[in-house]
Amino acid sequence: MTRAYNFSAGPATLPEPVLRQVQAEMLEWNGVGASVVEISHRSAEFIELAARAEADLRRLMAIPDDYAVLFLSGGATTQQALLPLNFAAPGQAADYVVTGHWGKTAIRQARPCASVNVVADGEPEGFRDIPPREGWRLDPAAAYVHVTANETIHGVEFRDAPDVGGVPLIADFSSSIASEPIDVSRYAAIYAGAQKNLGPVGIAVVIVRRDLLERAGQPRADIFDYRSHAARDSMLNTPPTWNWYVLGLTVKWMLDQGGVEAFARRNADKSARVYAAIDASGGFYRNEVAVRARSRMNIPFFLPDETLTARFLAESKAAGLLALKGHKAVGGLRASLYNAMPVEGAQALVDFMRDFQQRHG
Ligand SMILES: *Cc1c(COP(=O)(O)O)cnc(C)c1O
């Protein structure tokens, strides 16, 4: 069996040691006589697993004690719909900064429940940069300011938490969580679907400052209420136990590998190699994002024409480099370089790109 280098944007590559452990524990986990997917989430063994995953994630990301960590069914999009319900009063404004596709999705999910202000929008410039902070028309009375830390499709990434004054800053970290050290205390809430950098699809992590949980928000069922989930340790109903288990193994693997500092170095190295190959290609490969806003996680790039793009995809796949097709919204190619992608994978892509250019350039 050979595992290819998988550049999928999500669901995405997982660390091989994690998959091997999952395989070894598939039929019988932790001495309980059944697999982890077959036992109650209320069992002592599962509760211990859940608590360990939370403790490990807190250690990995240096999450302060005044933040709750929720493990919830569903994806990032679900959280985008829950944010205004939980944090905005009826009719209250919420500020959104749009730097790509997912910022727009966040607005679409929020609109039914909040008065959305688009305070900055990169779309007129083709999402090639982050609109300069000076130009953001922030409302000091807004419920929160929403940003997308890393735009998975457009390849635009914030290098730091923007200063938004006293208004709570909420960030979608779906495709860059735990990819480098961040100061969690700069954010009121951070959320992420797991399937890019943390584990399997079907579970989302919400890291929220506890004082925000005291907000009245809007009428909602308790299953949509972050406060209720926090009060019940994310076991208000049956949580996605399998996903929580694999997420816990993935977080543990990240700690064993040296934590976010080690991944920050690797991720900078991997992305620098791919951008260098693009920039050294004399225009054969193109990435149009301003250098200061280029994503370390997702690199969209383009060839001179569609025929070459199709050929690149077929040949790269045959060479063991999977899922390099760009998202349909932008076309072209995209390389996703999450924590589980080794430096060797990025280098294999770079070597392939040079070889492809020599043959077709
Ligand atoms: C993938 C992604 C989403 C959507 O996640 P789902 O789990 O499919 O809802 C939202 N935001 C960002 C930044 C993403 O990368």
Side-chain angles (χ1 to χ4, degrees):
M1 183 205 68
T2 35
R3 278 174 57 77
Y5 290 121
N6 177 4
F7 296 91
S8 173
T13 189
L14 285 170
E16 191 170 316
V18 167
L19 296 175
R20 287 195 185 281
Q21 185 169 348
V22 167
Q23 182 183 43
E25 296 176 339
M26 189 69 233
L27 296 185
E28 205 269 326
W29 172 76
N30 197 31
V32 302
S35 80
V36 68
V37 260
E38 298 169 298
I39 62 168
S40 170
H41 56 295
R42 313 252 181 237
S43 64
E45 291 86 357
F46 189 83
I47 288 174
E48 190 192 322
L49 176 160
R52 195 177 328 120
E54 178 179 335
D56 284 349
L57 186 64
R58 284 183 179 278
R59 188 147 71 87
L60 181 70
M61 294 183 65
I63 300 170
D65 288 343
D66 60 330
Y67 284 71
V69 180
L70 310 178
F71 296 85
L72 305 175
S73 293
T77 313
T78 314
Q79 312 317 314
Q80 293 174 341
L82 297 181
L83 295 175
L85 272 181
N86 280 271
F87 302 136
Q92 191 180 10
D95 285 352
Y96 279 74
V97 177
V98 183
T99 52
H101 174 94
W102 292 112
K104 289 170 67 172
T105 307
I107 288 174
R108 202 165 65 244
Q109 298 307 322
R111 274 227 158 93
C113 306
S115 156
V116 168
N117 282 330
V118 180
V119 296
D121 186 0
E123 189 156 28
E125 311 298 330
F127 293 131
R128 290 193 180 89
D129 204 349
I130 293 168
R133 171 67 192 80
E134 311 81 73
W136 297 8
R137 297 174 301 275
L138 294 174
D139 172 2
Y144 57 81
V145 183
H146 182 279
V147 298
T148 310
N150 180 63
E151 280 286 355
T152 319
I153 292 172
H154 288 90
V156 172
E157 185 177 20
F158 279 88
R159 292 277 13 107
D160 207 352
D163 182 0
V164 294
V167 179
L169 177 63
I170 299 182
D172 179 354
F173 264 92
S174 292
S175 51
S176 57
I177 191 164
S179 66
E180 65 180 341
I182 61 163
D183 180 355
V184 172
S185 72
R186 300 278 305 273
Y187 301 89
I190 285 170
Y191 66 94
Q195 70 268 29
K196 280 60 181 258
N197 226 5
L198 280 186
V201 66
I203 191 165
V205 169
V206 179
I207 301 164
V208 52
R209 212 173 56 216
R210 294 185 200 275
D211 65 288
L212 243 71
L213 296 175
E214 300 311 317
R215 290 205 176 173
Q218 299 176 42
R220 57 198 185 275
D222 68 352
I223 200 70
F224 296 150
D225 189 336
Y226 286 145
R227 215 173 9 189
S228 307
H229 285 290
R232 299 286 295 278
D233 294 328
S234 306
M235 297 206 194
L236 190 58
N237 67 330
T238 318
T241 53
W242 166 259
N243 317 58
W244 203 334
Y245 156 72
V246 183
L247 184 152
L249 295 181
T250 308
V251 169
K252 172 76 167 46
W253 174 80
M254 290 179 190
L255 286 169
D256 292 344
Q257 291 285 305
V260 286
E261 290 80 9
F263 284 105
R265 284 192 297 276
R266 278 189 220 173
N267 292 331
D269 180 8
K270 288 181 289 181
S271 54
R273 288 174 196 235
V274 176
Y275 284 119
I278 293 169
D279 293 342
S281 73
F284 183 69
Y285 300 109
R286 275 180 300 115
N287 168 280
E288 296 174 343
V289 177
V291 171
R292 63 175 169 268
R294 279 175 162 183
S295 168
R296 301 159 306 124
M297 296 281 105
N298 311 95
I299 306 182
F301 60 105
F302 302 88
L303 279 161
D305 63 60
E306 290 298 314
T307 315
L308 275 177
T309 303
R311 189 170 283 179
F312 186 101
L313 285 171
E315 290 189 13
S316 57
K317 187 172 176 197
L321 308 172
L322 299 190
L324 286 160
K325 193 173 172 35
H327 190 276
K328 60 183 185 312
V330 296
L333 302 158
R334 171 173 53 168
S336 296
L337 305 171
Y338 302 123
N339 284 3
M341 173 60 66
V343 174
E344 293 75 24
Q347 187 55 45
L349 171 61
V350 165
D351 293 342
F352 175 83
M353 288 168 71
R354 295 218 172 98
D355 177 60
F356 185 85
Q357 184 173 7
Q358 262 159 25
R359 289 182 290 107
H360 299 293

